[in-house]
Amino acid sequence: KKPAAKKTTGGPDKAYLQKIWDGWAALDGSKQAEFYATGPHLYFDLAPLKYASWDEYQAGVAKLLDEYKSATLTVNDDAEIHTVGDTAWVASTVKADMMKKTGKREMATFRWTAIFEKHDGKWLIVHEHVSEPM
């Protein structure tokens, strides 16, 4: 039987998670770089299927975000945060209320899972999965 992993404190909290989503709601992915690790990391988003690095992710999402004029993205109260050493993983649903430039309002609830690593004292996302139920 394996011993239980030792949990530590000091990982990302719900306010930090909300800050990430508030950044996406500003519709400028270039300002999100502070939350993501550079280099080859796998990120799954709503569209397209996946990105192999932060640079690729930022460029791809910029095209999608350009279709919107406003957004509110809220981390729901079901957020779970687990921290072990310099690694943390989170899972939550995220409420989205977005307005396209065409005037069409889109409301949805996304699933969000992210893995963070602590780099130079800062929690950075090294893997992320965002999806919407069919």
Side-chain angles (χ1 to χ4, degrees):
K1 187 175 180 180
K2 288 174 63 176
K6 183 180 178 188
K7 287 193 172 190
T8 57
T9 58
D13 59 12
K14 189 174 176 202
Y16 186 70
L17 304 182
Q18 186 59 56
K19 186 175 178 183
I20 293 167
W21 282 97
D22 288 344
W24 285 119
L27 305 175
D28 182 357
S30 68
K31 295 180 180 173
Q32 291 300 92
E34 69 176 292
F35 300 110
Y36 290 82
T38 58
H41 296 286
L42 188 58
Y43 303 108
F44 293 112
D45 199 19
L46 298 172
L49 180 63
K50 66 180 179 177
Y51 299 98
S53 69
W54 166 248
D55 290 336
E56 194 177 291
Y57 192 12
Q58 179 182 333
V61 172
K63 294 173 191 171
L64 178 68
L65 294 177
D66 192 49
E67 298 176 17
Y68 294 88
K69 66 178 179 180
S70 66
T72 302
L73 302 166
T74 306
V75 176
N76 290 322
D77 288 336
D78 61 355
E80 293 185 16
I81 303 167
H82 306 276
T83 305
V84 178
D86 288 341
T87 303
W89 60 99
V90 304
S92 183
T93 57
V94 176
K95 180 182 173 186
D97 188 350
M98 304 174 76
M99 184 67 69
K100 291 192 119 179
K101 289 178 178 175
T102 62
K104 181 182 176 191
R105 185 178 186 193
E106 295 182 345
M107 298 177 72
T109 300
F110 303 142
R111 300 177 188 112
W112 180 45
T113 305
I115 299 172
F116 292 78
E117 287 181 353
K118 198 170 192 179
H119 292 259
D120 297 324
K122 180 138 186 171
W123 289 97
L124 300 178
I125 298 172
V126 296
H127 174 73
E128 181 175 65
H129 185 129
V130 179
S131 63
E132 184 177 7
M134 293 180 68

